[in-house]
Amino acid sequence: REQRLVMQEQLEELQILFAKVTPALKHRLTTVDALQQEVAGLTRDNEQLLVKSRRLDEAEKKAKEAAALAATLKSVRAEAQRQEQAFNVLTDEHVELQKAAETSAASLTDAEAKIAELRSQLEVSEGKLATAAKVSAELTTTRAALTES
């Protein structure tokens, strides 16, 4: 009978302790869930930035091709100037080529600035994702430890 009373007291103590711990555990689980949702959101953001980065890489390739074209156009311009005396007809075409080269150079500058900006955003996003993943892992370990106890 004494053992039963001791066990009854221990059970009551455990029930009180459980009542105290339960809200904190629920709060931590809610926090873990919220962080996992944030990690999922950051992962989606990162994937979108990767897609944008690929597109920008393609744009950069096209911009480099445009730069090569601009270099070619400048070469054509120099040749046109040498032949200007003999070929007055080429004068109008020369002006158009010069404008195209300037437009290509401006487009290249804009594309390079956008690429740098998106790469910076991608690095920030990857840093946030790494931090969130670390926190999520720590919270998962905490949850597992709390669940076991």
Side-chain angles (χ1 to χ4, degrees), residues 9-23:
E9 287 176 10
Q10 289 176 346
L11 178 62
E12 289 173 3
E13 288 174 9
L14 285 173
Q15 288 173 338
I16 291 170
L17 181 61
F18 184 75
K20 289 178 181 178
V21 171
T22 298

Side-chain angles (χ1 to χ4, degrees), residues 77-93:
R77 178 181 154 216
E79 183 65 24
Q81 287 176 344
R82 282 190 293 274
Q83 296 181 5
E84 186 175 10
Q85 294 172 352
F87 302 100
N88 289 330
V89 177
L90 294 177
T91 303
D92 293 338
E93 186 178 353

Side-chain angles (χ1 to χ4, degrees), residues 31-127:
T31 303
V32 166
D33 290 341
L35 285 171
Q36 287 175 337
Q37 289 176 2
E38 184 177 344
V39 167
L42 288 172
T43 300
R44 281 190 303 275
D45 291 348
N46 191 39
E47 289 170 358
Q48 290 173 355
L49 285 173
L50 287 172
V51 168
K52 287 180 182 179
S53 178
R54 284 187 209 109
R55 287 180 187 158
L56 283 174
D57 287 344
E58 291 172 10
E60 182 179 21
K61 181 180 175 184
K62 289 179 181 178
K64 286 180 181 179
E65 291 171 0
L69 178 60
T72 301
L73 292 175
K74 285 184 181 183
S75 174
V76 169
R77 178 181 154 216
E79 183 65 24
Q81 287 176 344
R82 282 190 293 274
Q83 296 181 5
E84 186 175 10
Q85 294 172 352
F87 302 100
N88 289 330
V89 177
L90 294 177
T91 303
D92 293 338
E93 186 178 353
H94 163 70
V95 170
E96 290 176 18
L97 289 174
Q98 184 177 6
K99 287 179 183 178
E102 291 170 359
T103 301
S104 294
S107 296
L108 175 61
T109 302
D110 291 346
E112 288 174 343
K114 288 180 181 180
I115 288 168
E117 179 182 337
L118 285 173
R119 283 191 177 149
S120 174
Q121 290 175 1
L122 179 60
E123 289 173 7
V124 170
S125 178
E126 287 174 343

